[in-house]
Amino acid sequence: MDDVRASSAWVATHSSHVVVDSAGIEKVVDNIGPIPKVEWDFEGIHYFDNGPLTVQYLFVLDALNFCFWPDKELNYDHLASGLKAVLQNDQSAFDADRLQKYTGPQLRELLKWPRPLPLEDERVRLLHEVGYELERSFDGKASNLVKSCGKSALKLVALVTRHFPGFRDHTLYKGHQVFLYKRAQIFVADLWGAFKGQSYGQFNDIGSITIMADYIVPAVLRQLGVLRYSSTLASTIEANSEIGPGSEEEVELRACSVHAVEKMRELISMKSGKQVLSVELDLWLWASGVQCSSLPHHRTLSIYY
């Protein structure tokens, strides 16, 4: 994840619309005390059977985990709990051959959603991609993908992004390549959280993972005083206007969030003498954000988050 850290730091240094506020970071770290431990499935919405089917579920979930905001009534919980109910009713629903055949209306039916999903064609395309490549390279099983990483989070992210183009979350910013890999990293984080660092969730380098740059975490960091926006960007967000994917503003929001939390993590470790994982900070920030539905966030149509 050195590419994610280094390219995010480069964006933060050259940013025109978002500022990482060092004084704000210091204030948060001084006031927060021990980072609150948030249980991975604190809402009870995920499927878990302690085996390979959970890995298959998580990979499908993370292939579809993006862009809920265009439908005001849709959120991540609907996706996670909807896919959980699907598996509870039919344990072969996410077999690789079946993933390659789902249509938009069928996906809606699976999730019991009454209207087209945001970016529905893209969601279906990504399901097909996951099913095809799992069948071609991993005997149809996401658990084989995980086994092949040798308990390395870094290697698993590399494998996912190499084999599944829909997870290649990178872009150009002022002529510089920027890597963010939100959904590939969240697959690692979900495995680690679900299996409590054991079995399919055991990674000897879990500390290498950064936060997952989405639209919730930047909003929470701004509320905490860690990020500051230009007046133009703030107005755009508060007006609920869309920000284009790959635009300077969008890349800065995401990359500056990664860099800011890395700085928070380093400062917490320095002051407390205890190592803190970015994945733990991410879960805490995200849980804080989803519990505050009125928090204004940026709106970008993207398959990456």
Side-chain angles (χ1 to χ4, degrees), residues 7-152:
S7 61
S8 294
W10 194 91
V11 172
T13 305
H14 296 82
S15 178
S16 305
H17 310 277
V18 181
V19 173
V20 178
D21 191 324
S22 298
I25 291 173
E26 187 124 13
K27 189 175 178 183
V28 170
V29 170
D30 286 342
N31 292 336
I32 193 177
I35 297 298
K37 293 284 184 185
V38 180
E39 282 295 316
W40 172 77
D41 191 28
F42 67 96
E43 296 170 296
I45 57 174
H46 296 93
Y47 179 86
F48 185 72
D49 70 349
N50 205 33
L53 197 55
T54 295
V55 182
Q56 196 85 353
Y57 161 82
L58 290 174
F59 199 46
V60 171
L61 172 65
D62 291 328
L64 299 175
N65 180 8
F66 58 87
C67 206
F68 302 103
W69 63 264
D71 189 324
K72 290 179 183 175
E73 295 177 14
L74 181 68
N75 58 41
Y76 171 79
D77 291 10
H78 291 108
L79 179 66
S81 58
L83 295 178
K84 173 183 179 180
V86 169
L87 267 191
Q88 288 173 330
N89 290 326
D90 178 3
Q91 294 204 338
S92 67
F94 300 152
D95 285 2
D97 59 333
R98 292 182 63 181
L99 290 175
Q100 295 171 66
K101 295 171 185 169
Y102 283 120
T103 64
Q106 287 172 332
L107 179 56
R108 264 178 262 156
E109 188 179 341
L110 284 179
L111 296 173
K112 296 184 167 50
W113 201 249
R115 54 190 169 270
L117 297 156
L119 298 179
E120 184 172 276
D121 290 347
E122 287 292 273
R123 286 184 153 89
V124 170
R125 180 181 70 81
L126 292 170
L127 273 185
H128 293 176
E129 177 186 281
V130 163
Y132 171 78
E133 187 58 22
L134 283 179
E135 187 170 71
R136 188 177 79 98
S137 298
F138 300 100
D139 197 25
K141 299 183 188 302
S143 56
N144 289 336
L145 166 65
V146 175
K147 285 176 186 173
S148 66
C149 80
K151 301 190 190 316
S152 167

Side-chain angles (χ1 to χ4, degrees), residues 210-223:
T210 70
I211 65 151
M212 280 52 89
D214 61 3
Y215 46 86
I216 300 292
V217 171
V220 176
L221 292 173
R222 183 191 182 202
Q223 187 183 51

